[in-house]
Amino acid sequence: MAAVERHVIDRGDGASVELLQAGGPVGAPRGAILFVHGNQGGMLLGAKEAADNGTLLRFSSRLNVTAAAVSQPGFGASDGPADFCGPATQRAIIAALDFLKVQPAVDPARIVLYGNSRGAVASAMVAAQVADLRALILSGGVYDLKEAYQNSAPGLQQAIIREAGTSDQAFLERSALYHAHEISAETLLLHGQYDDPASIEQAEKFAAVLSQARVPVALHRFECGHQIPREQLTPVLRDFLKSVLAPATATYH
């Protein structure tokens, strides 16, 4: 099993972005998946979370793809400050995607972007700017940040105020609901039916708008809160990833 490699790349404005990558298959270029983490309970681990919990090695080996994770600004070893899924975070994700596209083991036409929680907010916005993603997976995200802000707990409101501000422009730059017509990647939305930080209605509205824009989209609801149990998530991910990314002979358990 390949080791996890650490890379530091340029965000495009001189700031550093941390990316961790699990090997990559030997031989012909294969697919890749890029994970974008959530809030992490204030621990600021960044991409290290996906390495420490085995996600990168598990996906890489079982799907026979390159699996990578990027640290958002202010998390891990990526330069800050954090901007709550805003332009700097989106540029960091785009820089990570650009890095993967030129790796010899990666087929640039078969890259999946997978964002969780605040990572889903930013990844949805990235998908509106990157036309050649093979697929997009969004888990527990919000797609109209102003609406989420108005209905969120004080702690989350303070984080948004501190990192992004509350101007109309700030909300628009972080609300993929209003950029759905620019998204072309096949999209899988994963959401807990009882998610408090991110209401299921957010995912339902986003799925409807994507469908209206003729984007292939599926919304899977789970009987849980914000964190989707692995035993519920795995079958859905397995089927989706096998169809868009994994070689026909690969299996995912």
Side-chain angles (χ1 to χ4, degrees):
M1 183 175 289
V4 175
E5 302 173 351
R6 180 177 179 272
H7 303 275
V8 178
I9 58 181
D10 193 304
R11 194 169 69 195
D13 56 4
S16 295
V17 175
E18 178 184 46
L19 182 139
L20 300 183
Q21 175 182 323
V26 177
R30 306 286 177 88
I33 183 166
L34 178 66
F35 294 92
V36 187
H37 61 82
N39 192 52
Q40 302 181 322
M43 296 181 67
L44 307 180
L45 294 174
K48 188 173 183 291
E49 179 183 45
D52 289 351
N53 65 21
T55 295
L56 295 185
L57 290 175
R58 186 170 68 252
F59 275 75
S60 177
S61 63
R62 293 180 180 177
L63 289 173
N64 194 25
V65 298
T66 294
V70 60
S71 295
Q72 298 180 47
F75 289 77
S78 287
D79 288 343
D83 70 342
F84 207 92
C85 317
T89 299
Q90 295 163 32
R91 287 196 299 270
I93 298 170
I94 292 171
L97 289 170
D98 288 343
F99 176 85
L100 289 175
K101 289 174 185 177
V102 299
Q103 299 309 300
V106 174
D107 177 355
R110 298 175 65 199
I111 297 178
V112 175
L113 180 59
Y114 188 157
N116 177 56
S117 192
R118 71 187 278 162
V121 177
S123 295
M125 288 298 302
V126 166
Q129 302 168 59
V130 177
D132 56 355
L133 287 174
R134 175 61 185 89
L136 177 66
I137 303 174
L138 304 172
S139 178
V142 297
Y143 311 104
D144 183 339
L145 189 61
K146 185 173 184 177
E147 180 180 290
Y149 169 80
Q150 292 170 340
N151 297 291
S152 63
L156 181 55
Q157 288 183 336
Q158 288 302 313
I160 293 172
I161 292 170
R162 182 175 62 252
E163 296 184 26
T166 57
S167 69
D168 288 342
Q169 182 65 25
F171 285 127
L172 184 62
E173 291 173 341
R174 296 161 174 84
S175 299
L177 185 73
Y178 304 103
H179 305 271
H181 61 284
E182 299 172 13
I183 296 175
S184 57
E186 183 174 351
T187 301
L188 175 64
L189 300 175
L190 309 168
H191 219 98
Q193 191 72 33
Y194 313 111
D195 191 329
D196 285 333
S199 168
I200 185 68
E201 285 79 12
Q202 286 262 342
E204 291 170 344
K205 288 179 182 179
F206 192 44
V209 171
L210 286 172
S211 182
Q212 291 170 5
R214 300 186 181 279
V215 176
V217 58
L219 168 59
H220 282 264
R221 300 170 178 84
F222 299 86
E223 292 296 314
C224 63
H226 193 57
Q227 298 296 328
I228 302 172
R230 183 174 165 185
E231 62 271 16
Q232 295 184 36
L233 185 61
T234 295
V236 177
L237 280 181
R238 178 189 60 221
D239 293 344
F240 183 75
L241 289 171
K242 284 179 68 175
S243 70
V244 301
L245 183 149
T249 56
T251 59
Y252 184 84
H253 299 288

